[in-house]
mmCIF file of all heavy atoms in Angstrom:
data_model
loop_
_atom_site.group_PDB
_atom_site.id
_atom_site.type_symbol
_atom_site.label_atom_id
_atom_site.label_comp_id
_atom_site.label_asym_id
_atom_site.label_seq_id
_atom_site.Cartn_x
_atom_site.Cartn_y
_atom_site.Cartn_z
ATOM 1 N N ASN S 265 48.001 25.781 27.564
ATOM 2 C CA ASN S 265 47.112 25.777 28.687
ATOM 3 C C ASN S 265 45.943 26.813 28.423
ATOM 4 O O ASN S 265 46.291 27.919 28.182
ATOM 5 C CB ASN S 265 47.799 26.175 29.907
ATOM 6 C CG ASN S 265 48.824 25.125 30.325
ATOM 7 O OD1 ASN S 265 48.617 23.982 30.279
ATOM 8 N ND2 ASN S 265 49.978 25.617 30.878
ATOM 9 N N HIS S 266 44.795 26.247 28.509
ATOM 10 C CA HIS S 266 43.651 27.094 28.156
ATOM 11 C C HIS S 266 42.930 27.497 29.456
ATOM 12 O O HIS S 266 42.295 26.678 30.108
ATOM 13 C CB HIS S 266 42.707 26.324 27.218
ATOM 14 C CG HIS S 266 41.604 27.214 26.747
ATOM 15 N ND1 HIS S 266 41.752 28.169 25.826
ATOM 16 C CD2 HIS S 266 40.345 27.270 27.077
ATOM 17 C CE1 HIS S 266 40.568 28.778 25.592
ATOM 18 N NE2 HIS S 266 39.681 28.246 26.373
ATOM 19 N N ILE S 267 43.087 28.815 29.820
ATOM 20 C CA ILE S 267 42.519 29.233 31.046
ATOM 21 C C ILE S 267 41.129 29.958 30.683
ATOM 22 O O ILE S 267 41.242 30.981 29.754
ATOM 23 C CB ILE S 267 43.298 30.161 31.782
ATOM 24 C CG1 ILE S 267 44.655 29.360 32.288
ATOM 25 C CG2 ILE S 267 42.553 30.718 33.091
ATOM 26 C CD1 ILE S 267 45.797 30.144 32.747
ATOM 27 N N SER S 268 40.129 29.629 31.278
ATOM 28 C CA SER S 268 38.804 30.195 30.781
ATOM 29 C C SER S 268 38.135 30.931 31.889
ATOM 30 O O SER S 268 37.434 30.260 32.779
ATOM 31 C CB SER S 268 37.958 29.059 30.146
ATOM 32 O OG SER S 268 36.774 29.528 29.869
ATOM 33 N N PRO S 269 38.224 32.225 31.944
ATOM 34 C CA PRO S 269 37.508 33.041 32.907
ATOM 35 C C PRO S 269 36.054 32.955 32.490
ATOM 36 O O PRO S 269 35.754 32.681 31.437
ATOM 37 C CB PRO S 269 38.100 34.375 32.817
ATOM 38 C CG PRO S 269 38.726 34.489 31.527
ATOM 39 C CD PRO S 269 39.203 33.068 31.174
ATOM 40 N N PRO S 270 35.174 33.425 33.396
ATOM 41 C CA PRO S 270 33.675 33.333 32.990
ATOM 42 C C PRO S 270 33.323 34.107 31.723
ATOM 43 O O PRO S 270 32.503 33.686 30.966
ATOM 44 C CB PRO S 270 32.901 33.863 34.134
ATOM 45 C CG PRO S 270 33.974 33.747 35.248
ATOM 46 C CD PRO S 270 35.303 33.654 34.677
ATOM 47 N N PHE S 271 34.031 35.187 31.500
ATOM 48 C CA PHE S 271 33.834 35.986 30.307
ATOM 49 C C PHE S 271 35.092 36.117 29.507
ATOM 50 O O PHE S 271 36.043 36.746 30.142
ATOM 51 C CB PHE S 271 33.173 37.339 30.665
ATOM 52 C CG PHE S 271 31.749 37.078 31.380
ATOM 53 C CD1 PHE S 271 31.688 37.278 32.750
ATOM 54 C CD2 PHE S 271 30.721 36.637 30.679
ATOM 55 C CE1 PHE S 271 30.543 36.973 33.372
ATOM 56 C CE2 PHE S 271 29.525 36.415 31.320
ATOM 57 C CZ PHE S 271 29.419 36.581 32.751
ATOM 58 N N LEU S 272 35.089 35.929 28.241
ATOM 59 C CA LEU S 272 36.273 35.961 27.492
ATOM 60 C C LEU S 272 36.345 37.207 26.691
ATOM 61 O O LEU S 272 35.278 37.744 26.318
ATOM 62 C CB LEU S 272 36.458 34.752 26.532
ATOM 63 C CG LEU S 272 36.638 33.378 27.379
ATOM 64 C CD1 LEU S 272 36.745 32.421 26.292
ATOM 65 C CD2 LEU S 272 37.769 33.449 28.296
ATOM 66 N N SER S 273 37.488 37.605 26.238
ATOM 67 C CA SER S 273 37.577 38.695 25.247
ATOM 68 C C SER S 273 36.990 38.263 23.902
ATOM 69 O O SER S 273 36.965 36.949 23.681
ATOM 70 C CB SER S 273 39.039 39.086 25.156
ATOM 71 O OG SER S 273 39.745 38.043 24.891
ATOM 72 N N PRO S 274 36.757 39.067 23.013
ATOM 73 C CA PRO S 274 36.104 38.695 21.694
ATOM 74 C C PRO S 274 37.058 37.704 20.987
ATOM 75 O O PRO S 274 38.148 37.768 21.000
ATOM 76 C CB PRO S 274 36.166 40.073 20.934
ATOM 77 C CG PRO S 274 36.037 41.117 21.942
ATOM 78 C CD PRO S 274 36.756 40.606 23.135
ATOM 79 N N SER S 275 36.345 36.779 20.379
ATOM 80 C CA SER S 275 37.030 35.688 19.686
ATOM 81 C C SER S 275 36.402 35.594 18.316
ATOM 82 O O SER S 275 35.495 36.318 18.014
ATOM 83 C CB SER S 275 36.946 34.396 20.428
ATOM 84 O OG SER S 275 35.558 33.877 20.260
ATOM 85 N N SER S 276 36.844 34.620 17.655
ATOM 86 C CA SER S 276 36.437 34.538 16.183
ATOM 87 C C SER S 276 35.112 33.727 16.035
ATOM 88 O O SER S 276 34.628 33.586 14.958
ATOM 89 C CB SER S 276 37.458 33.789 15.364
ATOM 90 O OG SER S 276 37.612 32.502 15.940
ATOM 91 N N SER S 277 34.545 33.269 17.229
ATOM 92 C CA SER S 277 33.379 32.464 16.950
ATOM 93 C C SER S 277 31.989 33.266 17.129
ATOM 94 O O SER S 277 32.044 34.255 17.858
ATOM 95 C CB SER S 277 33.331 31.251 17.888
ATOM 96 O OG SER S 277 32.725 31.578 19.068
ATOM 97 N N ASP S 278 31.123 32.921 16.444
ATOM 98 C CA ASP S 278 29.859 33.610 16.375
ATOM 99 C C ASP S 278 29.093 33.446 17.845
ATOM 100 O O ASP S 278 29.122 32.503 18.369
ATOM 101 C CB ASP S 278 28.940 33.148 15.338
ATOM 102 C CG ASP S 278 28.118 34.150 14.625
ATOM 103 O OD1 ASP S 278 28.442 35.380 14.824
ATOM 104 O OD2 ASP S 278 27.091 33.862 13.966
ATOM 105 N N SER S 279 28.418 34.540 18.183
ATOM 106 C CA SER S 279 27.652 34.415 19.452
ATOM 107 C C SER S 279 26.235 34.031 18.994
ATOM 108 O O SER S 279 25.557 34.427 18.110
ATOM 109 C CB SER S 279 27.588 35.858 20.113
ATOM 110 O OG SER S 279 26.618 35.799 21.045
ATOM 111 N N LEU S 280 25.680 33.240 19.981
ATOM 112 C CA LEU S 280 24.297 32.721 19.875
ATOM 113 C C LEU S 280 23.372 33.908 19.970
ATOM 114 O O LEU S 280 22.244 33.797 19.512
ATOM 115 C CB LEU S 280 23.997 31.727 20.938
ATOM 116 C CG LEU S 280 22.880 30.777 20.638
ATOM 117 C CD1 LEU S 280 23.170 29.987 19.354
ATOM 118 C CD2 LEU S 280 22.671 29.767 21.853
ATOM 119 N N PHE S 281 23.758 35.026 20.517
ATOM 120 C CA PHE S 281 22.945 36.229 20.862
ATOM 121 C C PHE S 281 22.576 36.949 19.602
ATOM 122 O O PHE S 281 21.589 37.492 19.443
ATOM 123 C CB PHE S 281 23.525 37.164 21.807
ATOM 124 C CG PHE S 281 23.778 36.576 23.178
ATOM 125 C CD1 PHE S 281 24.888 36.062 23.597
ATOM 126 C CD2 PHE S 281 22.601 36.444 24.085
ATOM 127 C CE1 PHE S 281 25.013 35.515 24.903
ATOM 128 C CE2 PHE S 281 22.764 35.866 25.255
ATOM 129 C CZ PHE S 281 23.897 35.367 25.731
ATOM 130 N N SER S 282 23.580 37.071 18.788
ATOM 131 C CA SER S 282 23.446 38.103 17.612
ATOM 132 C C SER S 282 23.377 37.305 16.341
ATOM 133 O O SER S 282 24.286 36.595 15.923
ATOM 134 C CB SER S 282 24.696 38.902 17.676
ATOM 135 O OG SER S 282 24.745 39.737 16.460
ATOM 136 N N PRO S 283 22.313 37.605 15.581
ATOM 137 C CA PRO S 283 22.190 36.970 14.198
ATOM 138 C C PRO S 283 23.218 37.474 13.252
ATOM 139 O O PRO S 283 23.648 36.708 12.377
ATOM 140 C CB PRO S 283 20.796 37.529 13.760
ATOM 141 C CG PRO S 283 20.126 37.931 14.833
ATOM 142 C CD PRO S 283 21.192 38.397 15.971
ATOM 143 N N SER S 284 23.709 38.737 13.484
ATOM 144 C CA SER S 284 24.834 39.176 12.514
ATOM 145 C C SER S 284 26.111 38.720 13.040
ATOM 146 O O SER S 284 26.268 38.412 14.239
ATOM 147 C CB SER S 284 24.803 40.761 12.584
ATOM 148 O OG SER S 284 24.888 41.204 13.868
ATOM 149 N N PRO S 285 27.121 38.664 12.198
ATOM 150 C CA PRO S 285 28.398 37.998 12.555
ATOM 151 C C PRO S 285 29.120 38.943 13.495
ATOM 152 O O PRO S 285 30.324 39.339 13.224
ATOM 153 C CB PRO S 285 29.054 37.779 11.299
ATOM 154 C CG PRO S 285 28.426 38.683 10.351
ATOM 155 C CD PRO S 285 26.995 38.913 10.802
ATOM 156 N N GLU S 286 28.646 39.129 14.730
ATOM 157 C CA GLU S 286 29.342 39.907 15.683
ATOM 158 C C GLU S 286 30.491 38.993 16.172
ATOM 159 O O GLU S 286 30.309 37.855 16.495
ATOM 160 C CB GLU S 286 28.475 40.150 16.912
ATOM 161 C CG GLU S 286 27.598 41.251 16.569
ATOM 162 C CD GLU S 286 27.985 42.703 17.004
ATOM 163 O OE1 GLU S 286 27.894 42.952 18.219
ATOM 164 O OE2 GLU S 286 28.548 43.327 16.168
ATOM 165 N N ARG S 287 31.624 39.648 16.444
ATOM 166 C CA ARG S 287 32.712 38.826 16.741
ATOM 167 C C ARG S 287 32.892 38.651 18.382
ATOM 168 O O ARG S 287 33.907 39.016 18.960
ATOM 169 C CB ARG S 287 34.072 39.371 16.263
ATOM 170 C CG ARG S 287 34.090 39.408 14.743
ATOM 171 C CD ARG S 287 33.927 37.968 14.241
ATOM 172 N NE ARG S 287 34.132 37.996 12.809
ATOM 173 C CZ ARG S 287 33.832 36.766 12.106
ATOM 174 N NH1 ARG S 287 33.300 35.748 12.603
ATOM 175 N NH2 ARG S 287 34.140 36.797 10.874
ATOM 176 N N HIS S 288 31.734 38.378 18.991
ATOM 177 C CA HIS S 288 31.748 38.325 20.457
ATOM 178 C C HIS S 288 31.463 36.976 20.902
ATOM 179 O O HIS S 288 30.634 36.278 20.250
ATOM 180 C CB HIS S 288 30.864 39.325 21.016
ATOM 181 C CG HIS S 288 31.185 40.648 20.683
ATOM 182 N ND1 HIS S 288 30.114 41.616 20.705
ATOM 183 C CD2 HIS S 288 32.179 41.382 20.616
ATOM 184 C CE1 HIS S 288 30.708 42.810 20.398
ATOM 185 N NE2 HIS S 288 31.929 42.702 20.289
ATOM 186 N N ARG S 289 31.945 36.543 21.879
ATOM 187 C CA ARG S 289 31.584 35.264 22.468
ATOM 188 C C ARG S 289 31.290 35.336 23.924
ATOM 189 O O ARG S 289 32.145 35.845 24.668
ATOM 190 C CB ARG S 289 32.656 34.127 22.239
ATOM 191 C CG ARG S 289 32.206 32.764 22.866
ATOM 192 C CD ARG S 289 33.330 31.939 23.020
ATOM 193 N NE ARG S 289 32.972 30.881 23.996
ATOM 194 C CZ ARG S 289 33.734 30.491 24.972
ATOM 195 N NH1 ARG S 289 34.964 30.831 25.067
ATOM 196 N NH2 ARG S 289 33.259 29.488 25.749
ATOM 197 N N VAL S 290 30.139 34.934 24.299
ATOM 198 C CA VAL S 290 29.914 34.879 25.764
ATOM 199 C C VAL S 290 30.096 33.511 26.187
ATOM 200 O O VAL S 290 29.616 32.644 25.560
ATOM 201 C CB VAL S 290 28.485 35.299 26.125
ATOM 202 C CG1 VAL S 290 28.184 35.139 27.596
ATOM 203 C CG2 VAL S 290 28.192 36.786 25.659
ATOM 204 N N SER S 291 30.850 33.340 27.194
ATOM 205 C CA SER S 291 31.199 31.918 27.590
ATOM 206 C C SER S 291 30.104 31.283 28.360
ATOM 207 O O SER S 291 29.908 31.334 29.605
ATOM 208 C CB SER S 291 32.400 31.919 28.550
ATOM 209 O OG SER S 291 32.620 30.644 28.937
ATOM 210 N N VAL S 292 29.115 30.680 27.576
ATOM 211 C CA VAL S 292 28.080 30.059 28.182
ATOM 212 C C VAL S 292 28.402 28.604 28.573
ATOM 213 O O VAL S 292 27.630 27.918 29.203
ATOM 214 C CB VAL S 292 26.888 30.004 27.219
ATOM 215 C CG1 VAL S 292 26.353 31.362 26.923
ATOM 216 C CG2 VAL S 292 27.229 29.366 25.867
ATOM 217 N N ALA S 293 29.544 28.201 28.188
ATOM 218 C CA ALA S 293 29.957 26.954 28.720
ATOM 219 C C ALA S 293 31.343 27.026 29.132
ATOM 220 O O ALA S 293 32.402 27.287 28.373
ATOM 221 C CB ALA S 293 29.926 25.956 27.569
ATOM 222 N N THR S 294 31.661 27.012 30.433
ATOM 223 C CA THR S 294 32.985 27.306 30.941
ATOM 224 C C THR S 294 33.754 25.960 31.282
ATOM 225 O O THR S 294 33.145 24.954 31.098
ATOM 226 C CB THR S 294 32.989 28.011 32.266
ATOM 227 O OG1 THR S 294 32.302 27.159 33.257
ATOM 228 C CG2 THR S 294 32.135 29.261 32.120
ATOM 229 N N ASN S 295 35.025 26.064 31.534
ATOM 230 C CA ASN S 295 35.684 24.821 31.592
ATOM 231 C C ASN S 295 35.325 24.101 32.833
ATOM 232 O O ASN S 295 35.679 22.932 33.117
ATOM 233 C CB ASN S 295 37.245 25.210 31.627
ATOM 234 C CG ASN S 295 37.791 25.101 30.202
ATOM 235 O OD1 ASN S 295 36.947 24.725 29.335
ATOM 236 N ND2 ASN S 295 38.998 25.524 30.035
ATOM 237 N N SER S 296 34.714 24.722 33.838
ATOM 238 C CA SER S 296 34.360 24.065 34.990
ATOM 239 C C SER S 296 33.197 23.082 34.724
ATOM 240 O O SER S 296 32.820 22.385 35.610
ATOM 241 C CB SER S 296 33.886 25.127 36.036
ATOM 242 O OG SER S 296 32.646 25.759 35.570
ATOM 243 N N GLY S 297 32.715 23.087 33.483
ATOM 244 C CA GLY S 297 31.677 22.181 33.121
ATOM 245 C C GLY S 297 30.378 22.674 33.498
ATOM 246 O O GLY S 297 29.276 21.933 33.386
ATOM 247 N N LYS S 298 30.179 23.894 33.942
ATOM 248 C CA LYS S 298 28.836 24.485 34.264
ATOM 249 C C LYS S 298 27.979 24.444 32.985
ATOM 250 O O LYS S 298 28.445 24.872 31.948
ATOM 251 C CB LYS S 298 29.051 25.879 34.796
ATOM 252 C CG LYS S 298 28.590 25.975 36.297
ATOM 253 C CD LYS S 298 28.523 27.490 36.635
ATOM 254 C CE LYS S 298 29.889 27.995 37.322
ATOM 255 N NZ LYS S 298 29.717 29.417 37.683
ATOM 256 N N ARG S 299 26.776 24.103 33.200
ATOM 257 C CA ARG S 299 25.970 24.160 31.978
ATOM 258 C C ARG S 299 25.501 25.612 31.799
ATOM 259 O O ARG S 299 25.300 26.312 32.722
ATOM 260 C CB ARG S 299 24.642 23.251 32.150
ATOM 261 C CG ARG S 299 25.040 21.754 31.917
ATOM 262 C CD ARG S 299 23.929 20.945 31.972
ATOM 263 N NE ARG S 299 23.287 20.867 33.287
ATOM 264 C CZ ARG S 299 23.679 20.015 34.118
ATOM 265 N NH1 ARG S 299 24.719 19.242 33.994
ATOM 266 N NH2 ARG S 299 23.033 19.963 35.329
ATOM 267 N N SER S 300 25.251 25.930 30.605
ATOM 268 C CA SER S 300 24.849 27.401 30.336
ATOM 269 C C SER S 300 23.375 27.616 30.743
ATOM 270 O O SER S 300 22.618 26.729 30.661
ATOM 271 C CB SER S 300 25.136 27.589 28.900
ATOM 272 O OG SER S 300 24.949 26.481 28.132
ATOM 273 N N PRO S 301 23.130 28.852 31.172
ATOM 274 C CA PRO S 301 21.795 29.137 31.512
ATOM 275 C C PRO S 301 20.802 29.110 30.376
ATOM 276 O O PRO S 301 20.969 29.808 29.346
ATOM 277 C CB PRO S 301 21.901 30.551 32.181
ATOM 278 C CG PRO S 301 23.128 31.016 31.509
ATOM 279 C CD PRO S 301 24.029 29.982 31.247
ATOM 280 N N LEU S 302 19.784 28.298 30.379
ATOM 281 C CA LEU S 302 18.864 28.071 29.176
ATOM 282 C C LEU S 302 18.078 29.375 28.960
ATOM 283 O O LEU S 302 17.849 29.807 27.895
ATOM 284 C CB LEU S 302 17.922 26.824 29.502
ATOM 285 C CG LEU S 302 18.619 25.478 29.368
ATOM 286 C CD1 LEU S 302 17.569 24.437 29.704
ATOM 287 C CD2 LEU S 302 19.185 25.277 28.007
ATOM 288 N N ASN S 303 17.581 29.872 30.198
ATOM 289 C CA ASN S 303 16.536 30.931 30.019
ATOM 290 C C ASN S 303 17.151 32.119 29.382
ATOM 291 O O ASN S 303 16.453 32.979 28.895
ATOM 292 C CB ASN S 303 15.980 31.198 31.372
ATOM 293 C CG ASN S 303 15.156 30.044 31.945
ATOM 294 O OD1 ASN S 303 14.775 29.184 31.228
ATOM 295 N ND2 ASN S 303 14.956 30.101 33.229
ATOM 296 N N ARG S 304 18.352 32.186 29.507
ATOM 297 C CA ARG S 304 19.067 33.380 28.965
ATOM 298 C C ARG S 304 18.765 33.710 27.535
ATOM 299 O O ARG S 304 18.622 34.755 27.047
ATOM 300 C CB ARG S 304 20.618 33.119 29.110
ATOM 301 C CG ARG S 304 21.443 34.264 28.581
ATOM 302 C CD ARG S 304 22.731 34.169 29.085
ATOM 303 N NE ARG S 304 23.268 35.527 29.129
ATOM 304 C CZ ARG S 304 24.598 35.736 29.298
ATOM 305 N NH1 ARG S 304 25.455 34.802 29.393
ATOM 306 N NH2 ARG S 304 25.019 36.943 29.249
ATOM 307 N N PHE S 305 18.553 32.638 26.750
ATOM 308 C CA PHE S 305 18.327 32.795 25.298
ATOM 309 C C PHE S 305 16.882 33.116 25.057
ATOM 310 O O PHE S 305 16.700 33.625 23.904
ATOM 311 C CB PHE S 305 18.848 31.534 24.596
ATOM 312 C CG PHE S 305 20.263 31.288 24.746
ATOM 313 C CD1 PHE S 305 20.669 30.358 25.725
ATOM 314 C CD2 PHE S 305 21.216 32.129 24.186
ATOM 315 C CE1 PHE S 305 22.043 30.189 25.913
ATOM 316 C CE2 PHE S 305 22.543 31.865 24.363
ATOM 317 C CZ PHE S 305 22.988 30.912 25.241
ATOM 318 N N ASN S 306 16.068 33.055 25.935
ATOM 319 C CA ASN S 306 14.685 33.461 25.789
ATOM 320 C C ASN S 306 14.582 34.916 25.857
ATOM 321 O O ASN S 306 13.658 35.597 25.386
ATOM 322 C CB ASN S 306 13.670 32.834 26.766
ATOM 323 C CG ASN S 306 13.693 31.349 26.534
ATOM 324 O OD1 ASN S 306 13.651 30.924 25.352
ATOM 325 N ND2 ASN S 306 13.408 30.489 27.521
#
Side-chain angles (χ1 to χ4, degrees):
Chain S
N265 291 324
H266 185 74
I267 298 167
S268 174
F271 300 102
L272 298 181
S273 52
S275 74
S276 61
S277 87
D278 215 15
S279 165
L280 202 59
F281 293 103
S282 170
S284 61
E286 287 267 279
R287 298 306 191 186
H288 298 150
R289 176 196 162 222
V290 177
S291 175
V292 294
T294 66
N295 273 355
S296 65
K298 245 192 265 184
R299 287 187 290 277
S300 31
L302 289 177
N303 294 342
R304 178 160 209 197
F305 299 102
N306 291 330

